[in-house]
Amino acid sequence: MTDSDQQKPHDKPMRLRDTLSSVLAAALGVQSNRARERDFSQGKPSHFIIAGIGFTLLFVLCVLGVVKLVLHTAAG
């Protein structure tokens, strides 16, 4: 068997769920060292950038929605 036939478990690409959980953990500041090492060895930077931008936009929209709701409730 060649090296390409024997893929090691750490050579597999990360799943979407793993990428999203890493982005959420990084946003909260609770990323474990083992997960960080997995991210750097298996993850693609473009996936983390896209997920991070998406998370940031979703977070900003949620905060904006809560502020508008509070202002609307307080004014009415």
Side-chain angles (χ1 to χ4, degrees):
M1 287 189 199
T2 63
D3 288 335
S4 61
D5 293 337
Q6 296 178 347
Q7 281 193 343
K8 297 175 186 172
H10 66 274
D11 290 339
K12 295 188 307 182
M14 290 180 62
R15 295 178 296 184
L16 178 62
R17 184 181 71 175
D18 296 332
T19 302
L20 294 177
S21 68
S22 289
V23 169
L24 181 61
L28 297 175
V30 294
Q31 184 82 339
S32 70
N33 190 41
R34 191 180 95 202
R36 184 190 56 79
E37 289 175 359
R38 179 200 65 207
D39 294 346
F40 279 100
S41 66
Q42 297 177 11
K44 292 185 178 182
S46 61
H47 293 170
F48 288 106
I49 291 168
I50 292 169
I53 290 171
F55 175 80
T56 302
L57 288 174
L58 184 63
F59 178 76
V60 168
L61 290 174
C62 286
V63 169
L64 184 63
V66 169
V67 168
K68 284 189 174 196
L69 179 67
V70 168
L71 291 176
H72 179 71
T73 305

